[in-house]
């Protein structure tokens, strides 16, 4: 890998503790041959790739953003329930082992808490260096809590956020530290405070793609404000992020450079040149699943169904560079032909373009709609082959947002982002959608108000929540 960790003894022991006792997720402390004391010791936690995992497996299943074989759907499991929208089945009982989204996030949070609480006393560092590292830890903690609350809790709604429960909040890495399952409103307030406290101390350029920089801080603020429906602040933050980095990767050029191999008949090789870890689009790189360093539906480009593939625009160079039609008995699918660890859990510049475009469209008025479409088309010009490209235009807010939403969902397919957006749009009568499909000659649907949009806490967490309590946020 590109970024090596210098603090192997501590990391290895912490990983061993995690896997030996997931139930004690709040009790993870660095032990072993060396306790961190210097700034370099603490900074090494950020350099460890295993601390940057945002698993979104079941969210991807719910949206059917990945192909599942008939055999994988032939029995009742967490996967089949979410994939086929089986609302009467009990996901809580089934979620007795699918715990990566929960435990990896809280394990990472324990590291960021350790840094935030102890870096002020670190040796071999200036005050400015300490403030920078604390700020980076706060951004990473905010990212983890945002992922958790939008996975395991209801969508933020100003009218109910103060009374609906989110996820356990813990700000200490001490053994036996207490946790409290706070409200959605309080969790968002906590996340915003972490980010706004961090921004003045973030560097313009970071040491590695795993370290948050100033652009990342602004980008995360934009993501949070968008999810809250605060489009004014989301627009401001997205523009601030783009002022730091507005670069886009040109997928048309990439396709042309690799065209011979991509178009080779009956070749589904995955040995294409990597563009992810060093992509100019990255604000920060994070994996999208616990298995994403090697395989897994949100870590590499997994297969798509024919119906999901059909949602891409004709002439989409991203699609042509990532998937290729293949017969895999008993189905024809679009097979994922890349395996270069795409940035499924981090933040990239296109997301800021889409946020900016949506916020402009929501302001209304033709001038804002034109600017929204100009912003959207700026991204599309690097994605759609010239022979297929035509500028998109809109005369209404709803028309503009439909274009933006579709393009964003295709850009971030097999990540958590389309899931977050769907939950957000489900609360708006103008944009809520009922998903439908046919499976085994049966008509299936997923309503905007279905309880399936909230993932159940794993049984291991509810039965052993540490020094606190944990209430399920979904009936099943």
């Amino acid at each position: 890998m590109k970024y090596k960790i210098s603090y192997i003894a501590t990391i290895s022991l912490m990983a061993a503790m995690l896997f030996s006792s997931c139930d004690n997720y709040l009790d993870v402390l660095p032990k072993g041959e060396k306790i961190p004391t210097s700034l370099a010791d603490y900074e090494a936690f950020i350099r460890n790739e295993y601390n940057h995992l945002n698993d979104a497996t079941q969210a991807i299943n719910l949206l059917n953003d990945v192909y599942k074989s008939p055999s994988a759907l032939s029995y009742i499991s967490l996967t089949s329930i979410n994939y086929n929208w089986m609302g009467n089945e009990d996901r809580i009982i089934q979620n007795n082992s699918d715990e990566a989204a929960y435990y990896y996030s809280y394990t990472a949070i324990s590291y960021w808490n350790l840094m935030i609480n102890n870096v002020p006393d670190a040796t071999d560092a200036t005050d400015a260096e300490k403030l920078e590292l604390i700020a980076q830890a706060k951004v990473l903690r905010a990212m983890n809590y945002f992922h958790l609350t939008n996975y395991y809790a209801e969508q933020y709604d100003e009218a109910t956020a103060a009374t609906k429960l989110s996820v356990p909040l813990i700000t200490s890495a001490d053994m036996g530290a207490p946790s409290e399952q706070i409200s959605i409103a309080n969790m968002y307030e906590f996340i915003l405070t972490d980010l706004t406290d961090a921004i003045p101390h973030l560097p313009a350029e970071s040491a590695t793609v795993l370290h948050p920089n100033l652009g990342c801080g602004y980008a995360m603020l934009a993501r949070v404000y968008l999810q809250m429906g605060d489009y004014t602040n989301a627009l401001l933050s997205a523009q601030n992020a783009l002022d730091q980095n507005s670069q886009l990767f040109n997928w048309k050029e990439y396709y042309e450079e690799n065209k011979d191999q991509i178009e080779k008949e009956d070749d589904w090789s995955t040995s294409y040149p990597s563009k992810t870890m060093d992509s100019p689009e990255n604000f920060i790189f994070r994996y999208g699943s616990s298995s994403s360093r090697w395989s897994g539906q949100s870590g590499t480009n997994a297969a798509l169904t024919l119906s999901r593939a059909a949602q891409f625009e004709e002439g989409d160079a991203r699609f042509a560079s990532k998937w290729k039609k293949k017969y895999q008995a008993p189905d024809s699918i679009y097979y994922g032909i890349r395996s270069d660890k795409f940035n499924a859990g981090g933040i990239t510049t296109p997301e800021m373009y889409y946020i900016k475009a949506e916020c402009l469209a929501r302001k209304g008025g033709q001038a804002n709609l034109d600017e929204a479409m100009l912003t959207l088309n700026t991204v599309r010009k690097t994605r759609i082959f010239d022979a297929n490209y035509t500028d998109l235009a809109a005369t209404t807010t709803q028309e503009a947002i439909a274009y933006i939403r579709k393009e964003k969902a295709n850009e971030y397919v097999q990540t958590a982002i389309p899931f977050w957006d769907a939950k957000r749009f489900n609360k708006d009568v103008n944009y809520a959608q009922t998903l439908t499909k046919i499976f085994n000659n049966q008509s299936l649907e997923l309503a905007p108000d279905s309880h399936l949009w909230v993932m159940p806490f794993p049984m291991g967490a509810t039965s052993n929540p540490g020094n606190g309590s944990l209430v399920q946020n979904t009936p099943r």
Side-chain angles (χ1 to χ4, degrees), residues 56-65 82 151 415-416 419 455:
T57 300
Q58 294 305 328
I60 295 165
N61 287 338
L62 191 74
L63 290 178
N64 283 204
D65 272 356
N82 284 322
Y151 200 77
T415 77
F419 175 72
M455 298 298 164

Side-chain angles (χ1 to χ4, degrees), residues 362 397-399 401-402 405 422 425-426 428-433:
R362 287 182 179 276
T397 294
Q398 287 184 301
E399 182 183 15
I401 289 180
R405 183 179 181 180
F425 284 119
N426 283 345
D428 189 330
V429 294
N430 294 310
Y431 303 104
Q433 296 177 349

